[in-house]
Amino acid sequence: MWLSDSSREDHTDAVIVLDAEDGFDLRGRLHDIKAATLLIQGDRDLVYPLELARQTVEGIPDAQLVVYPGRSHSGTFTDKRFAPDALAFLTDS
């Protein structure tokens, strides 16, 4: 959430974090993930496109994807469905 804080003047830390995340590509090892996995994604996420979430879920055995129409990256976490969806997944897994 701090990445979307427009009151910050210096975004150096944010750029460093995003560069590190983008360089850390484990798509070739997703099949090794054994933990129950849920991805909750907004369809208007400019940070991580929906297609990337779909590819990630396809690579992880039994992973689930929930898409919130009209939601951005940070808007996903503030959506009223987020906590119930996450809790339902955790209690069903």
Side-chain angles (χ1 to χ4, degrees):
M1 300 295 256
W2 62 270
L3 289 174
S4 62
D5 182 3
S6 60
S7 66
R8 295 178 64 105
E9 295 292 325
D10 182 2
H11 297 289
T12 304
D13 289 345
V15 171
I16 291 169
V17 168
L18 292 173
D19 281 345
E21 286 179 358
D22 290 346
F24 195 71
D25 184 357
L26 293 177
R27 284 179 281 185
R29 297 190 57 207
L30 292 175
H31 63 276
D32 292 331
I33 296 174
K34 304 297 183 223
T37 303
L38 172 68
L39 270 69
I40 299 177
Q41 174 83 26
D43 72 351
R44 294 191 180 172
D45 190 329
L46 298 177
V47 180
Y48 297 104
L50 183 54
E51 183 55 31
L52 180 58
R54 286 188 175 119
Q55 291 171 6
T56 301
V57 167
E58 287 174 10
I60 301 172
D62 301 318
Q64 297 177 32
L65 174 63
V66 175
V67 178
Y68 295 161
R71 289 297 184 175
S72 65
H73 187 72
S74 59
T76 300
F77 302 105
T78 59
D79 190 287
K80 64 183 178 182
R81 296 168 289 184
F82 183 83
D85 285 347
L87 287 172
F89 175 79
L90 292 170
T91 57
D92 290 343
S93 296

